Amino acid sequence: MIQPSKDTRDQLTPIAAKLREGRAVIRPVSQVTLRLKQVAGRDRYASSIDDILRWMNRRAGRALPDAAWQRKSFELLEIGAQRTAAVALRDPQYWAARLDDADKTVPLRTWITEIGVGLDPSGDVLFGARLVCAARGMEEPFDRSVPGFLRAILAEGPVELDGIELKSEPRLLTSEEDVTDLVKLMESPTRQADVLVFTLPDGSSNPAEAAASAKEVHDKTQGAAHVFILSSHASYFLTNAVGRELSVFRQGVRTYRPGFRAWVDQPSNHPLALPDRIKTWADEGPRAFERWVIGQTLASSVHGAEREQRLPAFNTVRQFAAQAERLQLKAQGGSDEELVRLFEHDNEQLRKELKEQKDQYDGLLIAADGEREAAVRDANAAKAQSLERLHRIRLLEARLAESSAQTETPIPDTLDSFDQWCKDHLAGSVEVANRAFQGIRKSEYHDPTLIYRALIVLRDHYVPMRVEGTSERRESYLRALETLQLEDSPTGDGPKFAPELYSVQYGGTRRSLDKHLKGGDSRDRRFGFRLYYFWDEEGQVVVVGWLPTHLDNRST
C-alpha cells in the first residue's frame, strides 16, 4: 500500500478539518451500574423509575405525558421540548430512558443521559446510567459528574457495586480482616469499578488527617467507585498482602484499576499520588488533586469492552422493543395493513437511529483521534525526557565510579529490608519487578548475601557491558560472575513451556524473562540459586522478574 507523502498529508489536513466541522465530538462522561437490593414493603423498581421521571420532568422543557407516569413507553415531541423518551419492556421487565439536555451556558453542547432499570429474577433491581457530552464547534472543558437523580435512588435502600454494599461515607479500615476483604475486592476478576485508597500518617486513625478529602471524592464518584481510608496500622497489613511496590501508606493515595493482581502487576498500572505531590497539585493543592482524581475515576468508568453490555444503549433497547411489538401483533393475528404500517414506522425510526449512531460513532472517533494524538505527543515528550535523564544518570554513575571517595555498597546478611535496599542502590540500572519481591518474601535461600552480590554484578558490570559493548566490559562481567560462581545463560524452553511464569508485565506489555543467572544445580529452595531477567534496550536497564529460586520448566 502506497503511503501519502508528508506534503500530501499537509495539504489534506485542512480539508479533513473542514469535513469535521458540524460534527459533534462525543465524549462519554461517566457510567454507573448498580444492584438495588430488595426492601420489605417497597417496590424499588417502580420507585426508581419515579425518581428518574421527576428528574426528567424538570429538564424536559414540557410536562411529561400521562403514559410516562404510568411507566409506559413515550416520546416527547412537543415544540420547545428537549428530546425525551422512554421504552418499557414486559419480558424481560426493563425500562430504558434518554434525555438530551442542552447546556445552559455553553452553546451547541448537549448532555445526553441514558438510563436502564431492570428487574432481576432474584427480586433485586439492576440499575444503570450513562452520561455523555456532545459538543459541536469549539470544545469547552467540563468537570465530570454522575446524574443528579442518583443520590435519591441510593438513599432508598441498600445498593451494591461489584457485590459490595455502598455506604454514605468512605469506609475506614483498621484491622487485618478489613484489609483481607479489601484485597479480595481489588483482585476480583469481575470488578468493574476503581478502588481508591486514602491512607493516614503514622500512628493515625483519624480520616481528617488524610492528604486530601476522601469524603469529597466519595460523594462525587458515588456509584462509580469504591473509596476506602486505611489507618496507619492497616497500611502495614496491605503492604504484607500485596508488596511494598503495590501498596500505599503514609498519606499516599492510590487508585487500583480493575484487573489488579497482587505481586504480579506493574505499579504504574495503578496510579499513586504521594502526599508532598498532593500538597502542591497544579499549584493549588489538595482541592485540585480531588478534582483530578474524581475526573480520572469517572473517565475510567466509561472505558472497557463491556461498557455497552453492562448498560445497553437506548436505541438498542428501542429496536428490541419494536421487534417484540411486531412479533406480538403477528401472533395476535394483526392485519397485513397493520403490519405494513408498523414496518414502515419501524423502518423510519431505524433510519433515524442508524444516522444518529453513525454521527455518534464519528464523534467518538474524532474525540479518540484527538486523545491519541495528545497521548503520542505526551509519550514522545516523556521518552525524550527519560532518555535525557538516563544520560545524566550514566554520567553521574561514571563520575562516582572514578571517584576515590566512592563508598562500597553495603551487603546485608538478611532480606528484611530488601525492597528498600533495591531502591537505594539499584535505581537507574536494575529494576526489580514486583513479582520478584514476592520471590524474596518467600525465600528460604541459605545465603542472602549472594542475592545482593548478584544484583550488584548486574548493576556494575552487566549494564556497562550492554551500554558500551566493549570486549573489556564483557571480560569484566564474566570475571565478576566467576567470582560468585554464577553462570549467565538463556532460560531455554521455559518461556514456551510456561509463558505466564517466565514473563512479567513491563512498559504496558508482557516481557519474556529470557536470561538467568544460575548458581548450583540443586532443586532444594535453600541451595539452588536463579535470577531471571531481561534487558530493556529502550530504557537501558536490567529488569529482574524472579529470584532466587528455580522456575519450573519442561524437564521439572
Side-chain angles (χ1 to χ4, degrees):
M1 181 177 178
I2 299 176
Q3 297 294 328
S5 67
K6 184 176 185 300
D7 290 341
T8 304
R9 289 198 301 270
D10 290 342
Q11 293 170 12
L12 291 175
T13 297
I15 298 175
K18 191 71 177 175
L19 290 173
R20 288 183 177 183
E21 287 183 5
R23 292 183 181 178
V25 176
I26 307 297
R27 295 195 182 277
V29 177
S30 65
Q31 178 169 314
V32 297
T33 48
L34 305 168
R35 178 178 287 269
L36 315 183
K37 303 299 290 182
Q38 298 178 63
V39 176
R42 180 178 298 172
D43 185 347
R44 295 202 74 181
Y45 178 79
S47 64
S48 297
I49 294 174
D50 292 344
D51 285 335
I52 296 163
L53 287 169
R54 284 189 286 271
W55 175 83
M56 294 173 74
N57 194 51
R58 293 193 295 270
R59 285 164 173 75
R62 291 288 185 273
L64 299 183
D66 291 340
W69 301 108
Q70 296 169 22
R71 307 184 197 101
K72 296 180 179 179
S73 301
F74 75 91
E75 186 165 10
L76 198 58
L77 299 173
E78 295 181 17
I79 296 174
Q82 302 198 99
R83 178 179 176 179
T84 312
V87 174
L89 303 177
R90 292 183 180 179
D91 187 20
Q93 192 168 347
Y94 190 83
W95 184 88
R98 169 172 170 160
L99 171 70
D100 293 9
D101 191 6
D103 195 296
K104 296 176 178 59
T105 57
V106 179
L108 303 179
R109 184 160 79 180
T110 302
W111 302 96
I112 302 168
T113 307
E114 295 192 329
I115 306 148
V117 184
L119 189 61
D120 189 70
S122 68
D124 293 343
V125 174
L126 305 179
F127 167 83
R130 179 186 301 121
L131 183 59
V132 176
C133 178
R136 298 179 184 274
M138 184 67 68
E139 276 195 272
E140 295 287 342
F142 60 84
D143 292 330
R144 293 180 184 269
S145 62
V146 295
F149 57 80
L150 184 60
R151 189 174 295 276
I153 290 174
L154 294 175
E156 290 188 352
V159 176
E160 288 184 355
L161 172 63
D162 295 321
I164 302 296
E165 184 178 350
L166 293 179
K167 299 292 186 181
S168 58
E169 301 281 339
R171 283 194 177 109
L172 174 64
L173 309 183
T174 59
S175 69
E176 186 172 9
E177 184 180 2
D178 289 341
V179 172
T180 299
D181 291 339
L182 171 64
V183 174
K184 183 178 178 181
L185 170 64
M186 286 159 46
E187 291 193 306
S188 170
T190 60
R191 176 166 66 90
Q192 57 185 263
D194 285 353
V195 172
L196 279 65
V197 179
F198 290 70
T199 58
L200 302 176
D202 284 343
S204 174
S205 58
N206 179 6
E209 295 183 354
S213 172
K215 178 169 174 47
E216 175 71 11
V217 174
H218 171 274
D219 291 348
K220 295 293 177 61
T221 62
Q222 199 168 16
H226 306 274
V227 180
F228 298 94
I229 304 171
L230 256 64
S231 70
S232 169
H233 189 57
S235 294
Y236 289 102
F237 296 130
L238 182 63
T239 300
N240 289 336
V242 304
R244 187 180 181 88
E245 292 296 302
L246 282 167
S247 186
V248 58
F249 37 82
R250 292 176 180 169
Q251 292 185 290
V253 179
R254 188 158 217 152
T255 301
Y256 293 94
R257 305 290 193 203
F260 172 80
R261 290 192 298 167
W263 295 102
V264 175
D265 241 327
Q266 192 171 340
S268 58
N269 292 339
H270 307 281
L272 171 66
L274 298 175
D276 289 345
R277 180 77 176 87
I278 293 172
K279 287 178 184 177
T280 59
W281 200 274
D283 295 326
E284 293 182 45
R287 302 292 81 79
F289 170 75
E290 291 158 14
R291 291 194 299 272
W292 177 83
V293 78
I294 290 166
Q296 292 293 305
T297 301
L298 294 181
S300 178
S301 73
V302 295
H303 294 155
E306 296 183 355
R307 184 175 67 95
E308 290 283 341
Q309 293 177 342
R310 298 198 303 266
L311 179 61
F314 176 74
N315 285 340
T316 301
V317 178
R318 179 144 64 180
Q319 290 167 20
F320 181 84
Q323 182 183 17
E325 186 179 2
R326 289 195 301 271
L327 291 173
Q328 183 181 15
L329 181 60
K330 189 174 182 179
Q332 293 174 349
S335 67
D336 290 344
E337 184 179 350
E338 288 175 317
L339 286 169
V340 169
R341 189 162 54 247
L342 189 58
F343 269 113
E344 288 177 347
H345 176 269
D346 290 347
N347 286 339
E348 179 62 27
Q349 188 67 43
L350 186 59
R351 278 194 293 270
K352 291 180 181 178
E353 289 173 358
L354 286 174
K355 182 182 183 304
E356 180 183 322
Q357 286 176 355
K358 181 181 182 303
D359 290 344
Q360 193 171 72
Y361 286 129
D362 286 346
L364 285 168
L365 286 173
I366 292 171
D369 282 345
E371 291 172 357
R372 181 184 60 79
E373 291 168 3
V376 169
R377 287 196 301 270
D378 291 345
N380 288 338
K383 184 177 179 180
Q385 187 178 54
S386 176
L387 291 173
E388 180 184 349
R389 288 176 177 173
L390 181 63
H391 177 66
R392 289 163 58 191
I393 288 171
R394 295 287 182 254
L395 289 176
L396 288 172
E397 287 175 342
R399 291 171 186 170
L400 283 171
E402 293 170 1
S403 172
S404 58
Q406 182 183 17
T407 57
E408 197 170 313
T409 302
I411 307 293
D413 54 10
T414 73
L415 298 172
D416 294 343
S417 301
F418 178 79
D419 52 351
Q420 189 59 49
W421 182 91
C422 291
K423 286 184 178 182
D424 292 343
H425 302 290
L426 303 180
S429 296
V430 180
E431 291 192 22
V432 181
N434 208 43
R435 208 182 101 199
F437 287 120
Q438 183 187 22
I440 289 296
R441 186 168 176 254
K442 299 177 179 179
S443 175
E444 300 172 11
Y445 192 65
H446 75 288
D447 182 12
T449 64
L450 179 63
I451 298 173
Y452 292 105
R453 294 183 192 281
L455 291 168
I456 292 172
V457 166
L458 290 177
R459 182 196 69 184
D460 293 346
H461 300 278
Y462 183 82
V463 172
M465 177 189 74
R466 294 301 302 256
V467 172
E468 299 176 23
T470 63
S471 58
E472 291 81 4
R473 287 295 191 186
R474 176 171 174 76
E475 289 299 322
S476 174
Y477 175 56
L478 293 176
R479 284 196 302 271
L481 289 179
E482 186 177 359
T483 300
L484 297 181
Q485 296 184 316
L486 295 178
E487 172 191 337
D488 188 332
S489 60
T491 50
D493 66 355
K496 294 180 181 178
F497 168 71
E500 186 78 9
L501 197 63
Y502 281 79
S503 64
V504 291
Q505 190 78 12
Y506 184 80
T509 60
R510 298 294 301 182
R511 296 289 297 271
S512 177
L513 301 172
D514 56 357
K515 302 273 286 180
H516 68 347
L517 299 185
K518 174 182 175 183
D521 293 321
S522 175
R523 299 298 179 184
D524 191 320
R525 294 170 61 90
R526 294 170 298 170
F527 303 110
F529 177 80
R530 296 291 187 277
L531 184 154
Y532 296 83
Y533 73 94
F534 67 86
W535 171 251
D536 180 56
E537 186 66 38
E538 184 173 326
Q540 300 277 281
V541 295
V542 174
V543 180
V544 177
W546 182 260
L547 77 167
T549 58
H550 184 276
L551 292 176
D552 288 340
N553 57 31
R554 195 176 302 277
S555 63
T556 58

